[in-house]
Amino acid sequence: MINPQSTLDLERSEEIYCLDANVLIEAWQHYYSPDFCKEYWERLNELGVKRRIFIPEAVRDEILKTEDDLASWLKKSDIRILNLTGNVTKCLQSIYAKDPIHYNLVDNMKYRSLADPWLIAHAMDMNATVVTKESMVTASNKRIRIPNVCENMKVKCINDYQFIREIGINFDCKIKE
């Protein structure tokens, strides 16, 4: 399902990453807040310029609906926003065709996780690694999560801490004077 046209403009010697909204939201609100870790956000911008990271438009829309400081930052950032294409739609169709439980990725009753299937479909199309804060759930749970679907679809999926290690972000901690 990989679209060779999608990867032509990338430096394919380096892995690329598709970020889930929760990776940005949680980091912004908690552990990498720009008031004490602005360098993290600068590194994300650099990775955007280098085309190493991207988010689907559905993830962007999820973040922008809040209209907060993160939304403002994202609007100015260099992170690529990938639009829906025919090939991404085909990837999404293959996700749902693979296993009916994949439909449970979206919580239609609460209108949550609407971007999740698109996140995986874009990653499939771009041959990218999904980065999410979600963890796998056991088979006894009716709700399926991004890592479960990624495993079923043979898409690499890691958490944000693994992403930081793989991409090589280092933090320089200092005490303000």
Side-chain angles (χ1 to χ4, degrees):
M1 257 311 149
I2 297 167
N3 179 1
Q5 291 296 319
S6 297
T7 57
L8 287 178
D9 62 332
L10 300 173
E11 298 172 16
R12 293 307 296 154
S13 61
E14 297 181 314
E15 192 162 358
I16 59 170
Y17 300 86
C18 181
L19 305 182
D20 189 6
N22 62 21
V23 169
L24 298 172
I25 294 167
E26 289 293 315
W28 188 274
Q29 293 176 349
H30 301 292
Y31 48 89
Y32 300 131
S33 176
D35 64 330
F36 63 85
C37 197
K38 68 178 181 173
E39 293 83 7
Y40 178 72
W41 302 96
E42 291 168 359
R43 297 304 80 79
L44 289 181
N45 261 327
E46 289 172 13
L47 292 167
V49 169
K50 293 178 181 178
R51 303 176 77 94
R52 299 282 312 277
I53 62 173
F54 70 90
I55 61 173
E57 63 183 342
V59 168
R60 179 208 53 208
D61 294 347
E62 191 174 309
I63 293 170
L64 295 185
K65 72 180 175 186
T66 307
E67 295 188 34
D68 59 4
D69 290 339
L70 174 59
S72 297
W73 176 85
L74 184 61
K75 288 176 188 176
K76 295 181 224 166
S77 81
D78 293 311
I79 296 176
R80 283 190 309 155
I81 312 297
L82 295 187
N83 297 322
L84 195 58
T85 65
N87 205 55
V88 172
T89 302
K90 288 178 186 173
C91 291
L92 182 68
Q93 290 168 342
S94 72
I95 290 169
Y96 290 137
K98 174 93 175 180
D99 191 331
I101 196 166
H102 292 172
Y103 283 100
N104 295 340
L105 189 60
V106 173
D107 185 346
N108 287 317
M109 299 302 280
K110 296 181 182 176
Y111 298 104
R112 292 197 309 215
S113 307
L114 299 177
D116 291 358
W118 296 111
L119 178 84
I120 299 165
H122 276 279
M124 289 171 64
D125 181 48
M126 296 295 291
N127 195 25
T129 297
V130 170
V131 182
T132 185
K133 300 254 350 131
E134 289 187 9
S135 300
M136 284 189 133
V137 292
T138 63
S140 64
N141 194 325
K142 288 186 179 188
R143 176 119 159 83
I144 192 167
R145 299 248 167 113
I146 291 170
N148 298 91
V149 176
C150 285
E151 181 179 75
N152 292 347
M153 299 306 298
K154 310 254 185 289
V155 173
K156 184 178 175 187
C157 183
I158 61 175
N159 67 37
D160 53 333
Y161 299 115
Q162 292 168 298
F163 165 70
I164 288 169
R165 284 186 185 95
E166 282 188 18
I167 209 81
I169 294 175
N170 291 309
F171 295 99
D172 183 21
C173 298
K174 302 177 222 174
I175 296 176
K176 281 186 180 179
E177 294 184 16

